Structures are given as structure tokens and as C-alpha cells.
Amino acid sequence: MQALSTIYQIIAMLTNVLVMLIIIQFIIGLLFAFNVVNRSNEFLAGFYMAINRFLEPVLRPIRNLLPNTGQIDFSPLVLIILLNIVLIVLGNVIYG
């Protein structure tokens, strides 16, 4: 039981990191969209591109399933909800 608890805690930590990356991607995207920060800022542009390269393989299948909503991308929100559902189910299975 101790090993399952440890595995659950590791999965929860990794999920939290992924959710933080999604939120950071969203915030940097807003900063670029509203010209608060210029895209010529090499640090933020590089960081944003790195996060996009990491998250795109996860978000693309969700985008393919969702209907086209124009400029609004709901796939990050759907991913956060799905990750939380997985954590809840996994926690209930382990802790019973």
C-alpha cells in the first residue's frame, strides 16, 4: 500500500507541474496577444515555444475532438479537467 501511495503522490506532482505549464502557456499567450510583451523578447518567445513543443502532442488530439470555436482554444481547459478526473479516480482506487 505504501508503494501505491508513493506512486500516486508522484503522479499528482507531475500532474500539478503539467497544469502549471498549461497556465504559464496561457498567460504568456495573453501577454503576446495584447502586446503587453513584444514577441521579439527572446527569453519569453523561447520559453513559450518550448512549452508549446512540450504540450502540443498532448493538446492536438483534444483539439481534433473538440468542435471548431474560432479563436478560442478550449483544449487546455479540457486537459486540466481530464487530469483532475484521472487524479480523483486514481486516488479513489488506491485509497479506496
Side-chain angles (χ1 to χ4, degrees):
M1 191 62 159
Q2 182 75 18
L4 286 178
S5 177
T6 303
I7 291 172
Y8 175 76
Q9 290 173 354
I10 291 171
I11 291 172
M13 182 183 65
L14 292 174
T15 301
N16 288 333
V17 168
L18 192 59
V19 168
M20 283 186 245
L21 284 175
I22 292 169
I23 292 170
I24 290 170
Q25 178 195 34
F26 174 75
I27 291 172
I28 294 174
L30 283 179
L31 291 176
F32 285 153
F34 291 110
N35 286 327
V36 175
V37 176
N38 196 344
R39 284 196 179 267
S40 64
N41 183 331
E42 291 181 19
F43 174 75
L44 275 182
F47 192 66
Y48 184 72
M49 287 174 32
I51 292 174
N52 276 340
R53 275 188 244 123
F54 180 73
L55 291 177
E56 186 61 29
V58 180
L59 293 174
R60 188 179 315 117
I62 297 172
R63 284 188 189 118
N64 291 339
L65 292 175
L66 293 177
N68 189 3
T69 56
Q71 296 289 4
I72 301 173
D73 183 14
F74 288 110
S75 61
L77 177 65
V78 171
L79 180 60
I80 291 172
I81 291 170
L82 287 174
L83 289 172
N84 283 312
I85 289 171
V86 168
L87 277 181
I88 290 169
V89 170
L90 196 59
N92 285 336
V93 167
I94 290 173
Y95 298 116

